[in-house]
């Protein structure tokens, strides 16, 4: 029998705030342990949490971008469990009246678009961090509460995904959406984006949901992918051998590439949620909602479609350019100064991206703004300089801060695009390179390539290569 | 359905409370009485009544996203029964 997986994902994204969800402690990463705490996030009795309005706005923006219905008012509940990194023995979360519900995220799967249901989007506080001590014989662990109270957005999908690839596409698409909307920086190595997966298997084509296995400790998209693939194999094998899958929580062991049942006996998800009596419902008025709605940017998939339709870009170019909001903004910024989508796109993808990737900077940190780059591409499109010269000019623009026009003049790089200026060089090259000339005359068309190269060398890169190519061919054809 | 001592034990375990057999019996009776009393509310017809989330009419206060000073670490750790390396020290955690 063939089995198919049924996959759901829970995503935790750290919100881009300066301070914690319920108190003014900083959420800066990498500070010495327990230096960013106060009575509120330490869970001292008698303290009163006060909601960070920025966190609410960011969560609202994400919920709107995911097409959720917004609960107004929304309210907070206590999720009760015991763990050393949870100072209050409960986490302030949402259960009865989530900020957003019933949304969807469209994801690309094998060239088609599929919608994955979003059950809910809610706000909660992060726990602290347990540090495991590996001194021989150490019988204790250490707890750092700097992270306790950090604002988190939890995004819960419906069990809508039917293949590991769909889960991968969902995670990538969601990550891009959170970056686009500037809700989270999604730095996985700092734990700003974390996943939990649940997966069950069922005979393909049936509707029955099998026992669900939850997988924790997934710190990267790669880890989720590997863990899901492992789980598909494990469960399929169990079922094929006539066994049963047990409903349980498993921990992913990245090093060994396998998961194992959690050893701690969790009292299966009995969190005894109840409304937090310290917290009143949170009003979301029309003014707030409208203001936040206005900050939801055009989303990546829609923007990609528009780039194809409006700017005539190829599917590939549109995908790469809309991969980050900064790059897409930069591209459209260039178009305002030089309306040539294709040549701008090509220059960005073939030259600029290579350079910024090599220097490990973002397009935002690139020295040339859209206006200055657009001028360079325009000079090239107008035939004033060729590609190689443009590369040199760009390098000098970065170094000197001068404009493309000024540098072209200064360096004497204006392209030789005039037949009479090029003619003597063509003569010389044909004379000095009898080998390739003989090859060409013998029928080897490709031999014109090295000859064009020689023209470029003699002109110190200033010749228009297309013109040189045409003139060489004409001359050689005449010699036949 | 009356509350059983087993249910009391289950809930006590979730709350990390250790109860004697005698206490489990006694609390089962007491919890049962409380729940029966609450059952009375179900006699009212509440269809069309908005659920009440909180006893106080009002809305949650918010604050601007501004970093304020945290406690000095010594103070943060002052009440910890055990500490080392600037951290709270707890029995070894096994997952």
């Amino acid at each position: 029998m063939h089995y198919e997986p049924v996959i759901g994902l829970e995503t935790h994204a750290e919100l881009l705030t300066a301070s914690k969800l319920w108190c003014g402690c900083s959420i800066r990463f990498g500070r010495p342990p327990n230096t960013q705490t106060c009575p509120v996030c330490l869970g001292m009795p008698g303290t009163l949490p006060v909601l960070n309005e920025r966190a609410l706005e960011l969560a609202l923006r994400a919920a709107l971008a995911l097409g959720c219905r917004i609960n107004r008012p929304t309210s907070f509940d206590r999720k009760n469990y015991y763990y050393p990194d949870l100072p209050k023995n409960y986490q302030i979360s949402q259960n009865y009246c989530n900020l957003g519900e019933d949304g969807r995220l469209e994801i690309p799967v094998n060239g088609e678009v599929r919608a994955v249901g979003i059950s809910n989007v809610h706000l909660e506080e992060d726990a602290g961090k347990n540090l495991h001590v590996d001194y021989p014989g150490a019988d204790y662990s250490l707890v750092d509460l700097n992270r306790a109270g950090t604002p988190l957005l939890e995004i819960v999908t419906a069990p809508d995904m039917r293949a590991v690839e769909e889960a991968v596409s969902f995670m990538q698409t969601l990550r891009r959406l959170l970056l686009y909307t500037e809700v989270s920086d999604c730095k996985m190595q700092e734990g700003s984006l974390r996943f939990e997966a649940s997966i069950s298997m069922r005979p393909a084509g049936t509707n029955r949901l099998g026992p669900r296995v939850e997988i924790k400790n997934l710190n990267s998209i790669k880890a989720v992918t590997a863990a899901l693939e492992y789980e598909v194999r494990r469960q399929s094998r169990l079922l094929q051998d006539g066994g049963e899958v047990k409903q349980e929580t498993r921990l992913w062991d990245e090093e060994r590439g396998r998961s194992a049942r959690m050893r701690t006996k969790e009292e299966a998800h009995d969190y005894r949620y109840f409304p937090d009596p310290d917290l009143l419902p949170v009003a979301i008025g029309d003014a707030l909602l409208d203001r936040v709605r206005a900050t939801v940017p055009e989303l990546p998939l829609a923007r990609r479609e528009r780039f194809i339709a409006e700017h005539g870009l190829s599917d590939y170019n549109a995908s790469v350019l809309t991969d980050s909001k900064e790059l897409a903004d930069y591209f459209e910024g260039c178009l305002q100064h030089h309306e040539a989508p294709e040549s701008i796109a090509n220059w960005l993808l073939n030259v600029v991206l290579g350079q910024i990737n090599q220097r490990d900077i973002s397009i935002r940190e690139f020295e040339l703004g859209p206006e200055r780059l657009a001028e360079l591409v325009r000079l090239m499109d107008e035939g004033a300089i060729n590609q190689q010269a443009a590369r040199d000019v760009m390098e000098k623009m970065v170094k000197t801060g001068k404009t493309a026009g000024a540098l072209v003049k200064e360096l004497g790089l204006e392209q030789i695009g005039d037949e009479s200026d090029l003619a003597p060089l063509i003569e010389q090259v044909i004379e000095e390179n009898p080998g390739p000339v003989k090859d060409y005359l013998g029928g080897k068309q490709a031999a014109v390539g090295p000859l064009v190269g020689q023209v470029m060398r003699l002109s110190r890169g200033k010749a228009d290569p297309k013109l040189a190519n045409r003139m060489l061919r004409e001359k050689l054809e005449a010699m036949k | 359905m009356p509350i059983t001592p087993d249910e009391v034990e289950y809930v006590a375990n979730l709350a990390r409370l250790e109860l004697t057999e005698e206490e489990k019996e006694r609390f089962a009776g007491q919890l049962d009485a409380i729940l029966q009393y609450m059952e009375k509310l179900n006699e009212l017809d509440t269809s069309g009544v908005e659920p009440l989330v909180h006893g106080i009419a009002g809305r949650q206060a918010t604050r601007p996203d501004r970093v304020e000073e945290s406690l000095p670490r010594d103070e943060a750790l002052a009440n910890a029964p055990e500490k080392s390396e600037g951290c709270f020290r707890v029995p070894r955690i096994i997952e």
Side-chain angles (χ1 to χ4, degrees), chain A residues 37 40 43 75 78 113 121 179 235 244 303 373 385 414 416:
Chain A
T37 68
V40 173
S75 57
R78 292 186 179 181
V113 173
V121 170
L179 287 168
Q235 292 190 21
E244 265 178 30
R303 201 166 194 187
L373 192 87
I385 48 173
E414 289 99 331
I416 305 174

Side-chain angles (χ1 to χ4, degrees), chain A residues 251-270:
Chain A
L251 276 184
W252 178 244
D253 182 336
E254 185 138 29
E255 248 167 68
R256 292 190 187 156
R258 65 181 195 213
S259 63
R261 182 148 33 95
M262 266 179 90
R263 269 190 289 169
T264 40
K265 195 168 149 259
E266 267 191 311
E267 229 56 65
H269 301 296
D270 194 344

Side-chain angles (χ1 to χ4, degrees), chain A residues 100-339:
Chain A
E101 284 174 349
D102 299 327
R104 65 209 292 267
L105 179 64
E106 293 192 329
I107 61 166
V109 180
N110 301 326
E112 281 172 31
V113 173
R114 272 209 65 204
V116 173
I118 304 292
S119 303
N120 75 73
V121 170
H122 64 262
L123 262 171
E124 63 183 28
E125 57 180 346
D126 206 349
K129 208 183 273 174
N130 295 318
L131 307 164
H132 302 279
V133 182
D134 49 14
Y135 310 134
D139 58 350
Y140 60 88
S141 297
L142 298 173
V143 181
D144 170 12
L145 294 179
N146 281 351
R147 201 178 64 184
T150 295
L152 290 182
L153 183 70
E154 179 167 349
I155 299 151
V156 184
T157 73
D160 274 357
M161 288 159 276
R162 297 286 172 273
V164 176
E165 302 81 67
E166 291 184 15
V168 174
S169 177
F170 176 85
M171 289 184 283
Q172 288 168 340
T173 309
L174 179 63
R175 178 173 180 275
R176 203 178 301 131
L177 179 137
L178 294 172
L179 287 168
Y180 249 73
T181 49
E182 292 168 271
V183 161
S184 173
D185 65 15
C186 296
K187 284 185 184 155
M188 280 182 259
Q189 65 282 11
E190 294 181 8
S192 302
L193 191 65
R194 315 196 283 268
F195 302 98
E196 282 172 32
S198 65
I199 172 170
S200 63
M201 301 293 286
R202 68 181 178 197
T206 61
N207 280 323
R208 192 169 52 91
L209 285 180
R212 214 160 63 114
V213 170
E214 285 189 38
I215 316 168
K216 297 192 177 210
N217 197 31
L218 302 170
N219 299 317
S220 65
I221 292 179
K222 223 178 86 198
V224 182
T225 312
L228 284 174
E229 280 167 353
Y230 175 86
E231 204 50 33
V232 168
R233 282 198 305 276
R234 189 184 71 88
Q235 292 190 21
S236 302
R237 201 172 304 145
L238 262 175
L239 293 168
Q240 247 130 23
D241 293 351
E244 265 178 30
V245 175
K246 263 217 271 315
Q247 180 150 340
E248 62 190 7
T249 302
R250 300 176 72 87
L251 276 184
W252 178 244
D253 182 336
E254 185 138 29
E255 248 167 68
R256 292 190 187 156
R258 65 181 195 213
S259 63
R261 182 148 33 95
M262 266 179 90
R263 269 190 289 169
T264 40
K265 195 168 149 259
E266 267 191 311
E267 229 56 65
H269 301 296
D270 194 344
Y271 294 123
R272 294 148 296 140
Y273 282 98
F274 64 89
D276 192 319
D278 284 347
L279 300 168
L280 292 167
V282 179
I284 298 170
D286 291 344
L288 173 65
L289 197 61
D290 290 346
R291 184 156 51 80
V292 174
R293 189 169 275 133
T295 65
V296 178
E298 183 182 22
L299 298 178
L301 218 52
R303 201 166 194 187
R304 194 189 75 173
E305 297 305 312
R306 184 168 64 78
F307 276 18
I308 295 170
E310 198 173 293
H311 301 315
L313 295 187
S314 70
D315 198 352
Y316 176 80
N317 283 0
S319 297
V320 179
L321 286 175
T322 52
D323 190 55
S324 87
K325 180 168 181 291
E326 289 79 43
L327 188 60
D329 287 346
Y330 187 95
F331 169 71
E332 294 208 293
C334 290
L335 292 188
Q336 299 204 336
H337 302 282
H338 178 47
E339 235 195 295

Side-chain angles (χ1 to χ4, degrees), chain A residues 18-20 23-25 33-34 37 50-53 82-83 133 135 139-141 143 264 267 270 277 280-281, chain B residues 10 13-15 54 59-60 62-63 65 67-68 70-71 73 76 84-90 92-95:
Chain A
S19 66
K20 292 187 179 180
C23 63
C25 288
N34 297 303
T37 68
V50 184
L51 182 63
N52 181 336
E53 62 187 19
Y82 282 80
Y83 211 60
V133 182
Y135 310 134
D139 58 350
Y140 60 88
S141 297
V143 181
T264 40
E267 229 56 65
D270 194 344
L280 292 167
Chain B
Y10 172 77
N13 187 39
L14 286 177
H54 205 283
R59 292 292 180 245
Q60 173 66 34
T62 58
R63 60 176 183 86
D65 179 29
V67 172
E68 277 154 43
S70 293
L71 284 179
R73 179 153 74 186
S84 54
E85 297 167 64
C87 290
F88 298 88
R89 189 167 151 164
V90 299
R92 191 173 173 80
I93 300 160
I94 304 161
E95 278 181 336

